[in-house]
Amino acid sequence: MKKRSTSSSNSFYSKSAKTSSVSSRMKTLSRNAQSAYKAEHKTPTVRSWVFFIFRKIYFIYIKIGLLSLKYILFIVFVNFVAALLLNIGNTDLYNVISMKYDVPLTKIYPELRENEINQLLLETWAPNKLQYEPFLQFSESPKQGKYVNVSLNGYRYSTNQSGWPPNKTHLNIFLFGGSTTFGYGVPDDQTIASFLQENLRKVYPNLNISIYNFGRGYYFSTQERILFQQLLQDAYVPNIALFIDGINDFYYTQNEPAFTSKFDDFFKEKHLQPRTFLDNQIRKSPLYELFTTVLGNLFSSKGKITEKMDNYNNHILIERLVNRYLSNKNFIEEAAYQYGVKPVFIFQPVPTYKNKSMYYFQKGGFGNLNYVKFAYQYMLDQKISNSLGTNFYWLVDIQENLTEVLYVDKYHYSQFFSKKIAQEISNRLIEHNVITE
């Protein structure tokens, strides 16, 4: 009995110890849980709040950065595609004449296929067709193409073009004017210069006549005068200098070159407010240029526009523009006589004056071309056109009885009309003995 009692006692104490150990562990776990709970729900410190806010800002910053990067990459990609389309893409984009006036140009260029017309207009109207030139603001960029070729020395190539510098044993003729003289919209061999050189070489086969076409887009008589003076100053002295004017002298009513406002923006750019600066950069992007080239040409000239002619029949303005031309003519003559050059001045035909030909480009109105019509009439009424001497040729009405296609766009001459103008000039040069053997 004693042994059993002892055994029972030991068993009791053993169970008590186990219960006490489990209870101790449970208390320990309970204390740890309470500590963890208190740690988790304790009052936040300033340090923890700062860390929390920093983490939130960091994650927001990362999200904004990723979104911005995606947006920038998208804009870069779209501008890259736009640049490709503008520079090396589909040449139909440069068929601005067909797009702008909704004209099937096979009527204007019956001798060319559609892809050849597109190539010609691509070379004529390419975005890089102009470059900066000191004192003159800009000039035609040198180029080599199938239809349009411009020398590094600033003249457009004519058929059988003579080299540079001019050979002093030749009879050298420098031709000045705007884009109609350059020959926008026609190949090298169909410009006024090419036809004039061909005509004169036939009449004077022993004189080695060489014509250099210094016609440049947007030029009027002030820029022509400066260019002529620069060539003389650089010892490039022709025998004869021809100046074909009329359109641009009355189209550009401000006494400044065509792109003065762009140069003004360039100098102001560093002082622009951020919003204006951003707008300026957007306007320089290929995407913006593509948008304005395509959509602008598609919609800007659609529909009939009613123009108020009284706005253009401004005698005060026209008189000022006529006097500007006459002053430039006098300055050119003085410089020419000093260097032994024979100057000849030609007033050109325009579509707004005595034009009964097949003309497809009335859409969008004529704008400043209307000034030319009233300026020509003013010069006739004031008898100015008859008082400018035998070296002034009034060709403005030679289209009056012509019914052929005379213009390839709103302003520029067709192959037929370029040849007609060249023939008129050569006839008068011969008639007035400007060229002597």
Side-chain angles (χ1 to χ4, degrees):
M1 289 293 293
K2 287 182 180 180
K3 286 182 180 180
R4 186 177 179 180
S5 174
T6 302
S7 175
S8 296
S9 177
N10 290 338
S11 175
F12 171 78
Y13 285 116
S14 176
K15 289 179 180 179
S16 294
K18 288 180 180 180
T19 301
S20 176
S21 176
V22 170
S23 176
S24 177
R25 286 198 297 272
M26 290 294 292
K27 288 179 180 179
T28 300
L29 289 171
S30 177
R31 283 195 299 270
N32 289 341
Q34 289 176 8
S35 298
Y37 177 83
K38 289 179 180 180
E40 185 177 349
H41 292 85
K42 68 180 178 180
T43 303
T45 63
V46 173
R47 183 177 179 182
S48 64
W49 270 112
V50 170
F51 180 73
F52 173 77
I53 293 170
F54 175 79
R55 286 188 64 193
K56 288 292 185 184
I57 293 173
Y58 174 76
F59 285 119
I60 293 172
Y61 173 77
I62 293 296
K63 288 180 180 180
I64 293 174
L66 290 173
L67 287 174
S68 299
L69 180 60
K70 290 178 181 179
Y71 175 76
I72 291 170
L73 290 174
F74 174 74
I75 293 297
V76 169
F77 173 75
V78 170
N79 275 279
F80 176 74
V81 172
L84 286 178
L85 290 174
L86 284 169
N87 291 288
I88 61 173
N90 185 357
T91 59
D92 286 344
L93 285 172
Y94 289 98
N95 196 333
V96 292
I97 309 305
S98 181
M99 292 169 61
K100 190 169 185 176
Y101 302 108
D102 194 24
V103 175
L105 291 185
T106 49
K107 292 183 179 180
I108 311 297
Y109 301 96
E111 74 283 2
L112 296 178
R113 295 189 295 271
E114 186 174 356
N115 65 313
E116 293 174 324
I117 296 171
N118 290 341
Q119 182 62 33
L120 169 60
L121 295 178
L122 166 64
E123 294 178 19
T124 299
W125 296 103
N128 61 346
K129 68 187 182 70
L130 298 178
Q131 64 178 5
Y132 171 74
E133 183 164 332
F135 303 106
L136 294 164
Q137 193 177 97
F138 59 90
S139 64
E140 300 288 337
S141 299
K143 67 180 67 175
Q144 290 182 328
K146 181 179 180 180
Y147 299 105
V148 181
N149 292 273
V150 180
S151 166
L152 289 168
N153 298 295
Y155 57 87
R156 182 176 182 178
Y157 284 92
S158 301
T159 305
N160 299 319
Q161 178 66 55
S162 298
W164 190 265
N167 189 326
K168 293 183 179 180
T169 65
H170 292 188
L171 193 146
N172 298 302
I173 300 175
F174 288 179
L175 186 60
F176 300 91
S179 55
T180 52
T181 302
F182 179 90
Y184 277 25
V186 293
D188 294 331
D189 61 350
Q190 296 177 12
T191 63
I192 294 172
S194 281
F195 289 127
L196 181 59
Q197 180 174 261
E198 180 183 355
N199 292 344
L200 295 177
R201 283 180 176 178
K202 288 178 181 178
V203 178
Y204 304 99
N206 300 322
L207 290 182
N208 293 319
I209 291 176
S210 299
I211 291 184
Y212 295 86
N213 182 0
F214 286 102
R216 295 176 177 183
Y218 312 95
Y219 271 33
F220 59 94
S221 59
T222 301
Q223 288 163 292
E224 295 163 27
R225 168 176 58 81
I226 296 171
L227 175 57
F228 177 55
Q229 291 171 332
Q230 285 184 319
L231 289 166
L232 295 179
Q233 189 176 36
D234 292 337
Y236 301 123
V237 181
N239 300 94
I240 300 170
L242 305 179
F243 297 85
I244 301 177
D245 292 300
I247 292 180
N248 290 349
D249 270 277
F250 302 111
Y251 189 94
Y252 296 108
T253 59
Q254 302 300 315
N255 195 27
E256 59 189 24
F259 300 105
T260 299
S261 61
K262 293 185 180 293
F263 281 81
D264 189 46
D265 290 343
F266 172 79
F267 286 108
K268 288 179 179 177
E269 192 169 289
K270 64 176 71 176
H271 306 295
L272 294 176
Q273 297 297 323
R275 181 176 177 181
T276 310
F277 178 81
L278 179 61
D279 177 70
N280 222 36
Q281 298 307 308
I282 291 173
R283 291 175 183 274
K284 293 179 182 179
S285 68
L287 182 60
Y288 183 86
E289 184 179 346
L290 180 67
F291 178 82
T292 54
T293 299
V294 178
L295 295 184
N297 286 326
L298 280 174
F299 299 110
S300 64
S301 294
K302 301 297 182 184
K304 186 177 180 180
I305 291 180
T306 302
E307 297 178 294
K308 294 182 179 179
M309 290 298 104
D310 289 343
N311 294 338
Y312 299 99
N313 192 13
N314 183 335
H315 281 215
I316 296 175
L317 174 60
I318 288 172
E319 183 178 7
R320 178 174 65 80
L321 297 176
V322 168
N323 288 333
R324 180 180 69 180
Y325 172 78
L326 295 177
S327 296
N328 283 322
K329 178 179 179 292
N330 289 335
F331 291 141
I332 290 169
E333 286 179 316
E334 291 177 9
Y337 295 145
Q338 286 290 326
Y339 283 82
V341 179
K342 294 179 181 180
V344 175
F345 303 90
I346 299 140
F347 251 35
Q348 63 190 147
V350 293
T352 53
Y353 186 80
K354 296 185 178 181
N355 177 22
K356 299 177 183 178
S357 66
M358 296 176 64
Y359 190 79
Y360 299 95
F361 308 102
Q362 292 92 343
K363 285 185 178 180
F366 289 103
N368 281 13
L369 268 179
N370 291 307
Y371 283 123
V372 187
K373 173 175 67 176
F374 290 111
Y376 283 2
Q377 192 59 51
Y378 172 85
M379 293 181 73
L380 282 174
D381 293 342
Q382 300 296 318
K383 298 182 180 180
I384 295 173
S385 60
N386 297 324
S387 63
L388 297 179
T390 57
N391 67 337
F392 180 82
Y393 303 161
W394 183 260
L395 302 186
V396 301
D397 49 10
I398 64 171
Q399 65 189 352
E400 186 172 8
N401 298 315
L402 300 177
T403 58
E404 293 84 356
V405 174
L406 304 183
Y407 297 89
V408 297
D409 57 40
K410 194 181 287 287
Y411 313 95
H412 302 106
Y413 304 134
S414 66
Q415 172 190 1
F416 172 85
F417 206 24
S418 295
K419 189 172 185 177
K420 173 70 174 175
I421 293 169
Q423 187 63 57
E424 290 289 336
I425 295 172
S426 61
N427 289 345
R428 301 196 187 200
L429 291 173
I430 295 167
E431 178 185 345
H432 292 97
N433 295 314
V434 177
I435 299 173
T436 55
E437 293 191 73

PDB file of all heavy atoms in Angstrom, residues 171-191:
ATOM      1  N   LEU A 171      29.414  85.869-123.692  1.00  0.00           N
ATOM      2  CA  LEU A 171      28.479  86.943-123.383  1.00  0.00           C
ATOM      3  C   LEU A 171      27.595  86.434-122.243  1.00  0.00           C
ATOM      4  O   LEU A 171      26.722  85.597-122.448  1.00  0.00           O
ATOM      5  CB  LEU A 171      27.632  87.319-124.587  1.00  0.00           C
ATOM      6  CG  LEU A 171      26.854  88.630-124.422  1.00  0.00           C
ATOM      7  CD1 LEU A 171      26.747  89.374-125.752  1.00  0.00           C
ATOM      8  CD2 LEU A 171      25.465  88.395-123.853  1.00  0.00           C
ATOM      9  N   ASN A 172      27.863  86.934-121.056  1.00  0.00           N
ATOM     10  CA  ASN A 172      27.226  86.422-119.849  1.00  0.00           C
ATOM     11  C   ASN A 172      26.031  87.286-119.454  1.00  0.00           C
ATOM     12  O   ASN A 172      26.130  88.521-119.384  1.00  0.00           O
ATOM     13  CB  ASN A 172      28.230  86.374-118.703  1.00  0.00           C
ATOM     14  CG  ASN A 172      29.388  85.429-119.009  1.00  0.00           C
ATOM     15  OD1 ASN A 172      29.166  84.240-119.269  1.00  0.00           O
ATOM     16  ND2 ASN A 172      30.609  85.942-118.994  1.00  0.00           N
ATOM     17  N   ILE A 173      24.927  86.613-119.189  1.00  0.00           N
ATOM     18  CA  ILE A 173      23.690  87.288-118.787  1.00  0.00           C
ATOM     19  C   ILE A 173      23.257  86.731-117.433  1.00  0.00           C
ATOM     20  O   ILE A 173      23.083  85.521-117.285  1.00  0.00           O
ATOM     21  CB  ILE A 173      22.573  87.067-119.829  1.00  0.00           C
ATOM     22  CG1 ILE A 173      22.998  87.620-121.195  1.00  0.00           C
ATOM     23  CG2 ILE A 173      21.274  87.724-119.365  1.00  0.00           C
ATOM     24  CD1 ILE A 173      21.998  87.327-122.313  1.00  0.00           C
ATOM     25  N   PHE A 174      23.097  87.619-116.455  1.00  0.00           N
ATOM     26  CA  PHE A 174      22.573  87.231-115.146  1.00  0.00           C
ATOM     27  C   PHE A 174      21.085  87.566-115.114  1.00  0.00           C
ATOM     28  O   PHE A 174      20.673  88.678-115.463  1.00  0.00           O
ATOM     29  CB  PHE A 174      23.283  87.974-114.013  1.00  0.00           C
ATOM     30  CG  PHE A 174      24.701  87.520-113.771  1.00  0.00           C
ATOM     31  CD1 PHE A 174      25.471  88.124-112.775  1.00  0.00           C
ATOM     32  CD2 PHE A 174      25.290  86.504-114.517  1.00  0.00           C
ATOM     33  CE1 PHE A 174      26.775  87.718-112.542  1.00  0.00           C
ATOM     34  CE2 PHE A 174      26.590  86.089-114.291  1.00  0.00           C
ATOM     35  CZ  PHE A 174      27.341  86.713-113.294  1.00  0.00           C
ATOM     36  N   LEU A 175      20.289  86.611-114.667  1.00  0.00           N
ATOM     37  CA  LEU A 175      18.834  86.771-114.621  1.00  0.00           C
ATOM     38  C   LEU A 175      18.385  86.788-113.167  1.00  0.00           C
ATOM     39  O   LEU A 175      18.681  85.859-112.409  1.00  0.00           O
ATOM     40  CB  LEU A 175      18.174  85.617-115.379  1.00  0.00           C
ATOM     41  CG  LEU A 175      16.658  85.663-115.589  1.00  0.00           C
ATOM     42  CD1 LEU A 175      16.253  86.893-116.377  1.00  0.00           C
ATOM     43  CD2 LEU A 175      16.191  84.395-116.306  1.00  0.00           C
ATOM     44  N   PHE A 176      17.671  87.840-112.764  1.00  0.00           N
ATOM     45  CA  PHE A 176      17.221  88.000-111.378  1.00  0.00           C
ATOM     46  C   PHE A 176      15.699  88.047-111.332  1.00  0.00           C
ATOM     47  O   PHE A 176      15.039  88.473-112.282  1.00  0.00           O
ATOM     48  CB  PHE A 176      17.784  89.284-110.770  1.00  0.00           C
ATOM     49  CG  PHE A 176      19.281  89.348-110.738  1.00  0.00           C
ATOM     50  CD1 PHE A 176      19.988  89.911-111.796  1.00  0.00           C
ATOM     51  CD2 PHE A 176      19.996  88.837-109.664  1.00  0.00           C
ATOM     52  CE1 PHE A 176      21.377  89.978-111.781  1.00  0.00           C
ATOM     53  CE2 PHE A 176      21.385  88.890-109.639  1.00  0.00           C
ATOM     54  CZ  PHE A 176      22.070  89.454-110.701  1.00  0.00           C
ATOM     55  N   GLY A 177      15.138  87.621-110.205  1.00  0.00           N
ATOM     56  CA  GLY A 177      13.689  87.649-110.028  1.00  0.00           C
ATOM     57  C   GLY A 177      13.283  86.759-108.868  1.00  0.00           C
ATOM     58  O   GLY A 177      14.122  86.329-108.064  1.00  0.00           O
ATOM     59  N   GLY A 178      11.998  86.463-108.793  1.00  0.00           N
ATOM     60  CA  GLY A 178      11.474  85.626-107.727  1.00  0.00           C
ATOM     61  C   GLY A 178      11.301  84.185-108.167  1.00  0.00           C
ATOM     62  O   GLY A 178      12.029  83.677-109.022  1.00  0.00           O
ATOM     63  N   SER A 179      10.293  83.520-107.596  1.00  0.00           N
ATOM     64  CA  SER A 179      10.085  82.099-107.870  1.00  0.00           C
ATOM     65  C   SER A 179       9.622  81.842-109.297  1.00  0.00           C
ATOM     66  O   SER A 179       9.860  80.764-109.850  1.00  0.00           O
ATOM     67  CB  SER A 179       9.064  81.518-106.890  1.00  0.00           C
ATOM     68  OG  SER A 179       7.860  82.258-106.922  1.00  0.00           O
ATOM     69  N   THR A 180       8.955  82.822-109.922  1.00  0.00           N
ATOM     70  CA  THR A 180       8.547  82.642-111.324  1.00  0.00           C
ATOM     71  C   THR A 180       9.764  82.646-112.242  1.00  0.00           C
ATOM     72  O   THR A 180       9.784  81.961-113.266  1.00  0.00           O
ATOM     73  CB  THR A 180       7.573  83.748-111.752  1.00  0.00           C
ATOM     74  OG1 THR A 180       8.131  85.020-111.438  1.00  0.00           O
ATOM     75  CG2 THR A 180       6.233  83.589-111.056  1.00  0.00           C
ATOM     76  N   THR A 181      10.778  83.428-111.870  1.00  0.00           N
ATOM     77  CA  THR A 181      12.030  83.435-112.638  1.00  0.00           C
ATOM     78  C   THR A 181      12.823  82.160-112.378  1.00  0.00           C
ATOM     79  O   THR A 181      13.369  81.549-113.306  1.00  0.00           O
ATOM     80  CB  THR A 181      12.871  84.665-112.279  1.00  0.00           C
ATOM     81  OG1 THR A 181      12.107  85.850-112.534  1.00  0.00           O
ATOM     82  CG2 THR A 181      14.158  84.715-113.085  1.00  0.00           C
ATOM     83  N   PHE A 182      12.878  81.745-111.111  1.00  0.00           N
ATOM     84  CA  PHE A 182      13.529  80.480-110.774  1.00  0.00           C
ATOM     85  C   PHE A 182      12.888  79.343-111.553  1.00  0.00           C
ATOM     86  O   PHE A 182      13.563  78.448-112.062  1.00  0.00           O
ATOM     87  CB  PHE A 182      13.425  80.231-109.273  1.00  0.00           C
ATOM     88  CG  PHE A 182      14.031  78.942-108.813  1.00  0.00           C
ATOM     89  CD1 PHE A 182      15.366  78.877-108.441  1.00  0.00           C
ATOM     90  CD2 PHE A 182      13.271  77.776-108.757  1.00  0.00           C
ATOM     91  CE1 PHE A 182      15.935  77.678-108.019  1.00  0.00           C
ATOM     92  CE2 PHE A 182      13.827  76.573-108.333  1.00  0.00           C
ATOM     93  CZ  PHE A 182      15.164  76.533-107.966  1.00  0.00           C
ATOM     94  N   GLY A 183      11.544  79.378-111.608  1.00  0.00           N
ATOM     95  CA  GLY A 183      10.809  78.337-112.331  1.00  0.00           C
ATOM     96  C   GLY A 183      10.190  77.301-111.423  1.00  0.00           C
ATOM     97  O   GLY A 183      10.288  76.097-111.692  1.00  0.00           O
ATOM     98  N   TYR A 184       9.514  77.745-110.347  1.00  0.00           N
ATOM     99  CA  TYR A 184       8.824  76.789-109.484  1.00  0.00           C
ATOM    100  C   TYR A 184       7.781  76.026-110.306  1.00  0.00           C
ATOM    101  O   TYR A 184       6.980  76.613-111.025  1.00  0.00           O
ATOM    102  CB  TYR A 184       8.117  77.521-108.341  1.00  0.00           C
ATOM    103  CG  TYR A 184       9.002  77.858-107.156  1.00  0.00           C
ATOM    104  CD1 TYR A 184      10.380  78.009-107.300  1.00  0.00           C
ATOM    105  CD2 TYR A 184       8.465  78.032-105.883  1.00  0.00           C
ATOM    106  CE1 TYR A 184      11.176  78.328-106.217  1.00  0.00           C
ATOM    107  CE2 TYR A 184       9.250  78.343-104.791  1.00  0.00           C
ATOM    108  CZ  TYR A 184      10.619  78.491-104.958  1.00  0.00           C
ATOM    109  OH  TYR A 184      11.409  78.799-103.873  1.00  0.00           O
ATOM    110  N   GLY A 185       7.817  74.709-110.169  1.00  0.00           N
ATOM    111  CA  GLY A 185       6.812  73.883-110.805  1.00  0.00           C
ATOM    112  C   GLY A 185       7.152  73.413-112.201  1.00  0.00           C
ATOM    113  O   GLY A 185       6.353  72.703-112.820  1.00  0.00           O
ATOM    114  N   VAL A 186       8.327  73.773-112.722  1.00  0.00           N
ATOM    115  CA  VAL A 186       8.761  73.268-114.033  1.00  0.00           C
ATOM    116  C   VAL A 186      10.198  72.756-113.923  1.00  0.00           C
ATOM    117  O   VAL A 186      10.965  73.217-113.073  1.00  0.00           O
ATOM    118  CB  VAL A 186       8.669  74.335-115.153  1.00  0.00           C
ATOM    119  CG1 VAL A 186       7.220  74.691-115.433  1.00  0.00           C
ATOM    120  CG2 VAL A 186       9.475  75.573-114.797  1.00  0.00           C
ATOM    121  N   PRO A 187      10.592  71.811-114.780  1.00  0.00           N
ATOM    122  CA  PRO A 187      11.962  71.286-114.754  1.00  0.00           C
ATOM    123  C   PRO A 187      12.982  72.328-115.214  1.00  0.00           C
ATOM    124  O   PRO A 187      12.630  73.383-115.760  1.00  0.00           O
ATOM    125  CB  PRO A 187      11.906  70.104-115.735  1.00  0.00           C
ATOM    126  CG  PRO A 187      10.464  69.775-115.882  1.00  0.00           C
ATOM    127  CD  PRO A 187       9.725  71.066-115.711  1.00  0.00           C
ATOM    128  N   ASP A 188      14.252  72.004-115.015  1.00  0.00           N
ATOM    129  CA  ASP A 188      15.350  72.902-115.378  1.00  0.00           C
ATOM    130  C   ASP A 188      15.278  73.360-116.827  1.00  0.00           C
ATOM    131  O   ASP A 188      15.569  74.519-117.139  1.00  0.00           O
ATOM    132  CB  ASP A 188      16.707  72.210-115.156  1.00  0.00           C
ATOM    133  CG  ASP A 188      16.985  71.915-113.695  1.00  0.00           C
ATOM    134  OD1 ASP A 188      16.480  72.654-112.831  1.00  0.00           O
ATOM    135  OD2 ASP A 188      17.715  70.946-113.417  1.00  0.00           O
ATOM    136  N   ASP A 189      14.895  72.457-117.722  1.00  0.00           N
ATOM    137  CA  ASP A 189      14.935  72.781-119.153  1.00  0.00           C
ATOM    138  C   ASP A 189      13.687  73.502-119.645  1.00  0.00           C
ATOM    139  O   ASP A 189      13.544  73.765-120.840  1.00  0.00           O
ATOM    140  CB  ASP A 189      15.159  71.514-119.988  1.00  0.00           C
ATOM    141  CG  ASP A 189      14.044  70.490-119.813  1.00  0.00           C
ATOM    142  OD1 ASP A 189      13.196  70.666-118.904  1.00  0.00           O
ATOM    143  OD2 ASP A 189      14.004  69.511-120.583  1.00  0.00           O
ATOM    144  N   GLN A 190      12.764  73.848-118.697  1.00  0.00           N
ATOM    145  CA  GLN A 190      11.530  74.535-119.097  1.00  0.00           C
ATOM    146  C   GLN A 190      11.358  75.882-118.392  1.00  0.00           C
ATOM    147  O   GLN A 190      10.262  76.438-118.349  1.00  0.00           O
ATOM    148  CB  GLN A 190      10.317  73.640-118.820  1.00  0.00           C
ATOM    149  CG  GLN A 190      10.314  72.358-119.635  1.00  0.00           C
ATOM    150  CD  GLN A 190       9.143  71.450-119.304  1.00  0.00           C
ATOM    151  OE1 GLN A 190       8.193  71.848-118.627  1.00  0.00           O
ATOM    152  NE2 GLN A 190       9.196  70.210-119.786  1.00  0.00           N
ATOM    153  N   THR A 191      12.434  76.411-117.860  1.00  0.00           N
ATOM    154  CA  THR A 191      12.371  77.727-117.216  1.00  0.00           C
ATOM    155  C   THR A 191      12.525  78.825-118.264  1.00  0.00           C
ATOM    156  O   THR A 191      12.952  78.581-119.398  1.00  0.00           O
ATOM    157  CB  THR A 191      13.485  77.868-116.176  1.00  0.00           C
ATOM    158  OG1 THR A 191      14.758  77.789-116.844  1.00  0.00           O
ATOM    159  CG2 THR A 191      13.408  76.771-115.123  1.00  0.00           C
TER     160      THR A 191
END
